[in-house]
Amino acid sequence: MKLINLIFRILVGGLFIFSGLIKLNDPYGTAYKLEEYFEVFASDFSVLSGLFTFFAHYSLFFSIVICAIEVILGVAMLLNYRMRITMWVTLLMIVFFTFLTFYSYAFDKVKECGCFGTFIITTPKQSFYKDLVLLAMILVLFYQRNKFSSAFNSLRGDILMSIVSLISFGVGIFSERHLPFMDTLNYKVGNNIDSLKTVPKAEYIWIMEKDGKEFRFANDKYPTDTTYHFKKYEAVGDTSQRAPKITNFIIQGEEGDATKEMLTGKKLFILIPFLDQAQKNCDANCFKDIKELIGTLDKTDIKPVILTIHANTETFEEFRHEKGLAAPYYYMEDVILKTMVRSNPGFMILKDGVVKGKWAYHDMPDIQKIQSLLK
């Protein structure tokens, strides 16, 4: 039984640490997923819609807290640290996760739970079964919670876990104020947006038969020898990879679709998806710095462009003039804007559709930095 307990503690603790750190790397991603759940619950449980709507406003806070606790519990389990309380909190956590994944799977509400952020994408079915396995292992450990002992059930352990807690929350807060340490999104630096919007060209092989034997030829090497008889052709490689990685990337202006123009030449995208949130995040000095940055680009071949959502149509012109942001603005879907840069406002530099740099509003680049990336 000791061996089983050890294996279960390593598996559960390790998975909790991995899952928590992956999500702390991108707390906004988890926050958006929590918002989606809260919106679903507000719709499905109308009696509590006000409560879930209230929770949705604090999704980012819940994101950091939940993910940090996940890491803390994982470390505590590996150290056998105060297992009575550790197992109670762990059980409550896995019950919460299992309920979410069950609801997604059973009622087809949320297509992807975000269990491992954008690093590993799982279906609701896979996530639910994964949580059931975890729940089973945790129940075994929970049943024996009073039998565990450890050298870390002491002041030394308390100090160590305090440090782990500070680091966990620190990682989440740092990533929220800046950008993810590891960008796993399709808009990461170095990616060509235009090419990721395109379906990769399919490659095939010709399967021919001659004298009772089977021969294979590349799609551009069809044999001229008429003694070969065509049998069939097959796709080469993983056909699932033929779908475009970026979809619905459409930039619209007053004259219609401006996507091709925006992915040509040197552009500084200033992303302001939601005005209210942007004005809470970015104070007067912040918008003054953005205004000055736009002004300095007038003397260069870099075009500043503001991207926002269609819901801001009536108010954005007034907002732009109020802040003195002398740059043209265009519209995109909110999901795309939130995926491009995990910050509001956020900044992205492109050269012919290739992402050269990304920043949160706390790290707004200067003209020298931008020009050095576009050389």
Side-chain angles (χ1 to χ4, degrees):
M1 196 63 189
K2 288 184 178 180
L3 179 59
I4 293 176
N5 289 341
L6 177 62
I7 293 173
F8 282 8
R9 281 196 302 108
I10 292 174
L11 289 176
V12 176
L15 192 61
F16 266 50
I17 293 171
F18 174 74
S19 174
L21 286 177
I22 285 294
K23 289 180 289 191
L24 283 175
N25 172 70
D26 180 16
Y28 272 107
T30 303
Y32 296 146
K33 188 58 61 176
L34 287 175
E35 281 184 10
E36 190 175 350
Y37 275 112
F38 289 141
E39 289 171 1
V40 167
F41 294 153
S43 174
D44 291 358
F45 305 100
S46 56
V47 176
L48 299 174
S49 61
L51 178 63
F52 288 120
T53 301
F54 173 79
F55 284 164
H57 292 302
Y58 295 93
S59 294
L60 184 58
F61 169 78
F62 289 129
S63 168
I64 294 175
V65 170
I66 291 172
C67 297
I69 291 176
E70 202 172 350
V71 174
I72 295 166
L73 289 174
V75 174
M77 195 166 300
L78 292 180
L79 297 179
N80 256 347
Y81 174 78
R82 305 199 183 280
M83 289 294 279
R84 293 180 186 178
I85 186 170
T86 293
M87 290 315 306
W88 268 110
V89 179
T90 304
L91 180 62
L92 292 174
M93 182 76 79
I94 195 60
V95 168
F96 170 71
F97 288 154
T98 305
F99 168 73
L100 292 183
T101 54
F102 164 76
Y103 203 83
S104 298
Y105 173 46
F107 300 102
D108 194 29
K109 293 291 185 176
V110 180
K111 301 300 181 182
E112 203 280 309
C113 75
C115 301
F116 301 105
T118 55
F119 186 72
I120 299 176
I121 305 299
T122 57
T123 65
K125 181 179 180 180
Q126 292 169 336
S127 300
F128 176 55
Y129 286 162
K130 178 262 298 178
D131 285 343
L132 284 180
V133 173
L134 279 174
L135 177 60
M137 289 191 288
I138 289 169
L139 283 172
V140 172
L141 297 172
F142 178 81
Y143 180 74
Q144 303 174 82
R145 63 190 182 282
N146 295 322
K147 299 179 181 179
F148 292 100
S149 61
S150 171
F152 289 98
N153 293 341
S154 60
L155 178 60
R156 180 178 65 170
D158 294 339
I159 294 174
L160 178 58
M161 292 308 301
S162 296
I163 294 172
V164 170
S165 300
L166 287 173
I167 292 174
S168 299
F169 281 101
V171 169
I173 293 170
F174 184 89
S175 298
E176 178 269 325
R177 291 180 62 83
H178 303 278
L179 288 180
F181 293 95
M182 178 177 64
D183 194 345
T184 59
L185 301 169
N186 289 324
Y187 301 92
K188 64 183 179 182
V189 174
N191 277 9
N192 187 319
I193 294 176
D194 203 34
S195 66
L196 293 178
K197 289 165 66 259
T198 306
V199 178
K201 183 180 179 181
E203 295 184 8
Y204 296 89
I205 56 171
W206 301 98
I207 300 178
M208 314 292 288
E209 191 175 56
K210 180 181 179 181
D211 298 332
K213 296 181 180 180
E214 187 176 277
F215 298 87
R216 295 169 177 258
F217 299 91
N219 61 340
D220 58 344
K221 302 292 184 181
Y222 192 89
T224 57
D225 187 345
T226 57
T227 59
Y228 284 98
H229 300 287
F230 172 76
K231 192 174 182 182
K232 62 179 178 178
Y233 64 89
E234 291 181 352
V236 177
D238 185 0
T239 57
S240 66
Q241 299 300 315
R242 302 248 163 78
K245 292 188 176 181
I246 292 179
T247 57
N248 299 325
F249 187 93
I250 301 172
I251 302 176
Q252 293 184 319
E254 294 182 354
E255 299 180 0
D257 190 347
T259 308
K260 185 176 181 180
E261 176 190 352
M262 293 298 105
L263 295 179
T264 304
K266 301 175 182 179
K267 300 291 190 301
L268 169 64
F269 286 170
I270 304 169
L271 291 77
I272 308 178
F274 310 104
L275 289 182
D276 291 343
Q277 183 185 19
Q279 293 182 87
K280 289 178 182 178
N281 295 339
C282 192
D283 58 21
N285 290 330
C286 174
F287 279 112
K288 181 181 178 181
D289 291 340
I290 296 176
K291 174 184 175 181
E292 291 176 355
L293 177 60
I294 292 174
T296 60
L297 294 177
D298 286 342
K299 302 174 184 178
T300 70
D301 59 347
I302 305 167
K303 181 179 179 181
V305 174
I306 300 173
L307 300 177
T308 188
I309 61 174
H310 289 278
N312 296 332
T313 303
E314 297 181 0
T315 57
F316 202 85
E317 183 67 24
E318 180 182 345
F319 165 81
R320 186 173 71 102
H321 284 293
E322 177 189 338
K323 303 299 182 183
L325 306 180
Y329 59 95
Y330 296 81
Y331 300 104
M332 297 187 73
E333 289 188 9
D334 62 337
V335 174
I336 304 299
L337 288 174
K338 291 189 293 186
T339 307
M340 288 170 67
V341 181
R342 299 294 207 201
S343 178
N344 183 19
F347 304 87
M348 177 183 282
I349 281 289
L350 295 97
K351 183 177 181 180
D352 293 327
V354 178
V355 180
K356 294 295 184 178
K358 295 167 63 172
W359 301 269
Y361 60 93
H362 287 292
D363 308 305
M364 184 169 52
D366 55 27
I367 184 64
Q368 290 78 20
K369 179 66 174 178
I370 293 172
Q371 288 179 323
S372 68
L373 293 173
L374 292 174
K375 288 181 179 179

